[in-house]
Amino acid sequence: MSSLIQKVDQGGPAWRAGLRPGQRLLKINGHPIRDVLDYKFYGYDSRLELEAEQQGQIRRLLVEKEEGQELGLEFETYLMDRQKGCANRCVFCFVDQLPKGLRPSLYFKDDDARMSFLLGNYISMTNLSQEDADRIVAMRISPLNISVHTTDPDLRNKLLGNPRGGASLKYLDQFAQAGLRLMCQIVVCPGWNDGEQLAKTLKDLAALRPSVESVAVVPVGLTKHRQGLTPLEPVTAEKAREIIEIVNQARKECEKKGGEAFFYAADELYLKAGLPLPPVEYYGDYPQLENGVGLMSMFRQELEGALAMTEENPPPPPPFVIATGLAAAPFMEEMLGLCRKKCPAMQGRVKAVRNEFFGLGVDVAGLLTGGDIIRQMKEEIRPGEQLWLPDCMLRHGETVFLDDVTVGQMERELGARVRVVDVDGGEFCDALFP
């Protein structure tokens, strides 16, 4: 436990009560503070009695604040504890398929229920104890994001490479019976958890409604760096169509019983299948965007709305080329076509970049590296043309690609301005026609 206070927001509730950096927060209203969950849960009320320690001396302080207002404390680590790593050896684990030499943080496998609640990370539940699960229920910690993959215990043991894989499904039932909100995902590996197994998993999850609020079905991602790993087959166009049909059948069963369809096939499956994306209504309120479900539909909807409010024949932006993954390139060309109707003078085009770093089987924009973009765009960029990139290629809040190439380096190598654009249709329209 690391409850050492590093910073106190000046003028905030904790500051007014007398807490200062260098002290340790021990208790709130008599409850020991073990980590961030205790801190947020017990610190929610409007009237709090804090117990803090400094140099062996215990102080008790009274805090009065608005209900739900943050105390205004920062600790040595966000979790106030060590982050739990993953104990699994999933046959499809993407981290195991990374080449050597990347920054160390990329090799850490997170499987921490606290991060699931606080940041939306997905957990397998295999490193939960019964005490952990009971605490989650008692604190009403939700929504939780659960990597299910299959509801067959023996198959889950094999898929996760962990003998606790099947046994940990009991926590899914416990959380559902307690009425916690659960967001689930299934990574489909052909020959393992597809076909009848996928249909059974969807049926079992449907039985856990309304706690299970949504289920994303996504294809396994395979890089070229799989030496020594379990042989897996990629999701082909035929397999993608089969998966989509199973998902759609499960959706129909939900609707037949008078419920809302809450199973969703990822955009990537439709792209692999060569099928048009579903209508906007398919995605409801877009509960699984982080899993790549509905990103393209939302982008189109946002862009069309923004274009409708844009004047006819606006001044065109400087000439530009959009670099994106092989999967999204046709879609982005279509989106540029919509924009060109509004501004025929616009000089913009799309370039699909091959993922030579991870292998051609990885075709999404978010996994392109700076090195691949530089090598393939060096002879592609025309004089006076800008290079536009989606922000999903970069480390969150920074200008660094997966291979640690920076945007500044890319500009120097290419001799062109690089412009990073939000993956948002409205923001894209604003970038085109400010």
Side-chain angles (χ1 to χ4, degrees), residues 251 270 276-284 286 294 297-298 300-301:
R251 288 173 62 89
Y270 281 91
L277 292 169
V280 171
E281 296 73 28
Y282 174 93
Y283 300 101
Y286 293 96
S297 173
M298 177 173 277
R300 181 200 300 271
Q301 190 176 22

Side-chain angles (χ1 to χ4, degrees), residues 164-186:
R164 296 196 71 238
S168 63
L169 287 169
K170 68 179 182 180
Y171 299 128
L172 190 67
D173 292 329
Q174 181 181 352
F175 297 154
Q177 288 171 16
L180 301 187
R181 298 171 53 213
L182 306 175
M183 317 288 279
C184 300
Q185 73 168 354
I186 299 168

Side-chain angles (χ1 to χ4, degrees), residues 67-190:
E67 188 176 66
Q69 182 184 3
E70 291 284 343
L71 278 166
L73 300 178
E74 290 185 17
F75 301 90
E76 288 181 290
T77 63
Y78 176 68
L79 289 174
M80 303 170 63
D81 190 13
R82 181 177 297 176
Q83 187 173 354
K84 288 185 179 181
C86 182
N88 305 325
R89 291 287 296 174
C90 298
V91 297
F92 52 84
C93 178
F94 197 82
V95 175
D96 289 342
Q97 301 178 71
L98 295 177
K100 295 178 180 179
L102 299 176
R103 57 181 177 272
S105 61
L106 292 175
Y107 299 100
F108 179 74
K109 301 178 184 180
D110 164 60
D111 199 10
D112 196 311
R114 297 166 298 184
M115 300 296 281
S116 178
F117 167 62
L118 295 167
L119 298 179
N121 298 9
Y122 275 83
I123 60 169
S124 67
M125 307 182 293
T126 57
N127 64 7
L128 289 179
S129 65
Q130 188 60 56
E131 181 183 4
D132 293 329
D134 291 344
R135 181 188 181 207
I136 288 170
V137 170
M139 287 186 166
R140 310 298 299 169
I141 301 298
S142 75
L144 287 173
N145 298 282
I146 311 292
S147 291
V148 178
H149 308 313
T150 177
T151 52
D152 182 296
D154 291 335
L155 178 57
R156 197 165 193 262
N157 289 344
K158 295 173 184 175
L159 270 173
L160 270 56
N162 187 332
R164 296 196 71 238
S168 63
L169 287 169
K170 68 179 182 180
Y171 299 128
L172 190 67
D173 292 329
Q174 181 181 352
F175 297 154
Q177 288 171 16
L180 301 187
R181 298 171 53 213
L182 306 175
M183 317 288 279
C184 300
Q185 73 168 354
I186 299 168
V187 175
V188 179
C189 302

Side-chain angles (χ1 to χ4, degrees), residues 13 22 120 351 404 417 423:
K351 170 65 178 177
D404 287 336
R417 184 192 171 193
V423 184

Side-chain angles (χ1 to χ4, degrees), residues 195-410:
E196 292 182 3
Q197 283 287 354
L198 176 59
K200 176 186 180 299
T201 298
L202 297 181
K203 182 178 180 181
D204 291 343
L205 291 176
L208 298 181
R209 288 284 279 171
S211 276
V212 173
E213 292 189 351
S214 67
V215 180
V217 180
V218 304
V220 63
L222 304 178
T223 80
K224 66 181 182 182
H225 306 283
R226 290 192 55 83
Q227 297 80 0
L229 300 179
T230 303
L232 292 178
E233 294 296 321
V235 173
T236 62
E238 181 181 0
K239 178 59 67 176
R241 288 191 286 270
E242 176 190 307
I243 294 169
I244 290 170
E245 179 55 37
I246 292 171
V247 173
N248 285 342
Q249 186 57 44
R251 288 173 62 89
K252 290 175 184 175
E253 290 297 318
C254 291
E255 293 167 345
K256 193 183 298 182
K257 295 175 181 178
E260 180 184 348
F262 65 107
F263 299 114
Y264 305 94
D267 295 1
E268 191 178 352
L269 283 168
Y270 281 91
L271 296 178
K272 287 181 179 296
L275 296 175
L277 292 169
V280 171
E281 296 73 28
Y282 174 93
Y283 300 101
D285 59 355
Y286 293 96
Q288 289 277 358
L289 282 174
E290 295 300 319
N291 257 319
V293 177
L295 277 173
M296 291 181 168
S297 173
M298 177 173 277
F299 186 96
R300 181 200 300 271
Q301 190 176 22
E302 292 166 341
L303 178 60
E304 289 176 338
L307 286 173
M309 295 186 290
T310 301
E311 62 178 325
E312 294 296 327
N313 294 312
F320 65 94
V321 54
I322 298 172
T324 189
L326 293 171
F331 174 78
M332 286 310 301
E333 287 174 352
E334 183 183 348
M335 295 304 98
L336 280 189
L338 295 178
C339 298
R340 201 168 281 113
K341 290 178 181 178
K342 181 68 69 170
C343 178
M346 183 183 75
Q347 296 181 50
R349 58 196 182 94
V350 177
K351 170 65 178 177
V353 177
R354 302 180 306 279
N355 199 323
E356 295 173 352
F357 186 86
F358 287 116
L360 299 185
V362 178
D363 54 10
V364 295
L367 291 174
L368 283 173
T369 60
D372 277 347
I373 295 170
I374 289 171
R375 281 188 292 275
Q376 294 176 48
M377 297 303 297
K378 190 162 276 188
E379 303 300 322
E380 179 73 26
I381 292 184
R382 300 164 186 168
E385 202 170 42
Q386 295 180 356
L387 175 61
W388 286 24
L389 303 174
D391 62 352
C392 62
M393 293 181 180
L394 303 172
R395 194 189 309 180
H396 181 69
E398 300 183 34
T399 58
V400 182
F401 294 86
L402 279 169
D403 55 355
D404 287 336
V405 170
T406 67
V407 170
Q409 287 175 268
M410 182 174 289

